[in-house]
Amino acid sequence: MSFKLLQTSAVAAVVGLASINTHASSIWLEPAGTSEITEGDSIAFDLYADASDIVYTYIDPIFGEVTEIGFLAGGIDVFYDINVLTYVSFQFNPTSGTDPAFTRIADDCSVDITADGCSVPGELNGLGFGAFDGLAGTTTLLGTLTFEGTNAGISAVTMANNDTPAGDWFGVDGELAVVDYTGATVQVNPIPLPAAVWLFGTGLLGLIGVARRRK
């Protein structure tokens, strides 16, 4: 996307010397593992990122040696089973440091499958984040993702780099970043029947048994 290329170029323009480390950054959901909810209940996942492995050092003509850490910008696609979950919202963490120039609200493909980049209905396409001086250099809460359990079943919640319109993740060095994603799983349980229903059913079976014996 053009804004991503322009901002990557802006970082590269001030480069004198650079030291680039191997990238293996992480983005994950908490709570991890499998969470259980009941039909009609909501579940919230915190989205965290850590790119402390991306360290970029350059010589600025005014400030001398400058070191920046973390992502420059990037986007995420989130996938889930629309037969089990319904997307409710994503709330950006205002203290994460993401710049409004990079921030992007994801397209809900279950509402508009024709949106740019949508591939399946159970997709949130193109959550966007970034900062010129580095984002998520250490563990950073990017925001909170909320779903509602609409039908009994099990749904994985997985993530991947966005292709368009937010784009892949880039480090503050302007290089493509390799990101390890860790998702989660939601088990939606059916609403339990009230005790009175069970008592009614037991009583009804008893009456049927008595009627049969009388016959």
Side-chain angles (χ1 to χ4, degrees), residues 116-139:
D116 185 22
C118 282
S119 58
V120 293
E123 176 183 2
L124 304 176
N125 182 74
L127 272 173
F129 310 88
F132 279 113
D133 57 355
L135 172 72
T138 56
T139 299

Side-chain angles (χ1 to χ4, degrees), residues 6-204:
L6 288 172
Q7 291 166 338
T8 301
S9 299
V11 173
V14 296
V15 173
L17 295 174
S19 60
I20 302 173
N21 291 349
T22 302
H23 302 175
S25 304
S26 299
I27 296 177
W28 68 96
L29 295 176
E30 292 186 7
T34 300
S35 299
E36 292 191 36
I37 61 174
T38 302
E39 285 178 299
D41 289 346
S42 296
I43 183 166
F45 290 102
D46 287 334
L47 178 65
Y48 285 95
D50 189 317
S52 54
D53 60 305
I54 303 178
V55 181
Y56 185 53
T57 301
Y58 61 90
I59 301 300
D60 183 274
I62 297 176
F63 300 104
E65 185 174 281
V66 178
T67 297
E68 295 178 349
I69 301 175
F71 292 119
L72 171 64
I76 301 173
D77 292 341
V78 181
F79 300 91
Y80 62 99
D81 188 343
I82 61 171
N83 296 310
V84 178
L85 299 175
T86 297
Y87 168 64
V88 176
S89 66
F90 182 83
Q91 184 67 46
F92 287 90
N93 175 19
T95 65
S96 67
T98 190
D99 190 295
F102 293 96
T103 300
R104 185 180 188 278
I105 298 172
D107 294 313
D108 183 356
C109 300
S110 67
V111 174
D112 183 10
I113 191 63
T114 66
D116 185 22
C118 282
S119 58
V120 293
E123 176 183 2
L124 304 176
N125 182 74
L127 272 173
F129 310 88
F132 279 113
D133 57 355
L135 172 72
T138 56
T139 299
T140 300
L141 173 62
L142 297 178
T144 301
L145 182 66
T146 303
F147 293 97
E148 179 182 335
T150 46
N151 293 293
I154 298 176
S155 173
V157 181
T158 60
M159 297 175 289
N161 277 15
N162 175 251
D163 51 358
T164 184
D168 291 318
W169 283 98
F170 282 79
V172 287
D173 52 20
E175 297 290 324
L176 185 66
V178 176
V179 180
D180 292 330
Y181 288 101
T182 303
T185 302
V186 182
Q187 178 175 322
V188 180
N189 298 317
I191 299 173
L193 291 172
V197 174
W198 290 110
L199 291 173
F200 174 79
T202 303
L204 184 60

